[in-house]
Amino acid sequence: MNYIDVIGLFAGICVTISVIPQIIKVWKTKKVKQISLLTFGVLTFGIAIWVVYGILKKDLPIIVTNSVSLFLNLIMVYFLIYYEKEQ
């Protein structure tokens, strides 16, 4: 792995972990009223496209970081749909 891949991996990790505090907050409070499902839906779709792009380019940092990010954002979308029913 060269230094360019390391930079890409580091950037991807930063973006990927950014959603974790929001997931934890929603999980603990079970409140999603102030969070936009549309925003997270579009973001999740965009991340899925990044995964496809990474696969087509055979770019491991893009594939790995965006796959993890996709998983985390899918959790958030699930919470938004599930907890919205409870409110």
Side-chain angles (χ1 to χ4, degrees):
M1 195 178 281
N2 62 37
Y3 77 95
I4 294 172
D5 289 338
V6 172
I7 291 170
L9 194 56
F10 182 70
I13 289 169
C14 289
V15 171
T16 297
I17 63 173
S18 68
V19 75
I20 293 174
Q22 188 69 66
I23 291 171
I24 291 169
K25 183 176 182 180
V26 168
W27 186 31
K28 287 181 177 181
T29 66
K30 311 216 182 332
K31 295 183 183 189
V32 296
K33 191 173 186 178
Q34 301 293 324
I35 303 170
S36 170
L37 175 59
L38 179 60
T39 298
F40 271 94
V42 172
L43 177 62
T44 302
F45 179 74
I47 293 167
I49 300 294
W50 272 110
V51 172
V52 171
Y53 175 79
I55 291 168
L56 294 173
K57 297 272 293 179
K58 298 179 179 143
D59 190 321
L60 193 59
I62 291 175
I63 296 166
V64 171
T65 58
N66 283 289
S67 293
V68 173
S69 188
L70 179 61
F71 175 73
L72 292 172
N73 279 277
L74 284 170
I75 290 171
M76 190 63 195
V77 168
Y78 170 78
F79 281 169
L80 287 168
I81 293 167
Y82 182 78
Y83 291 132
E84 182 68 29
K85 292 179 192 176
E86 293 184 359
Q87 293 182 7

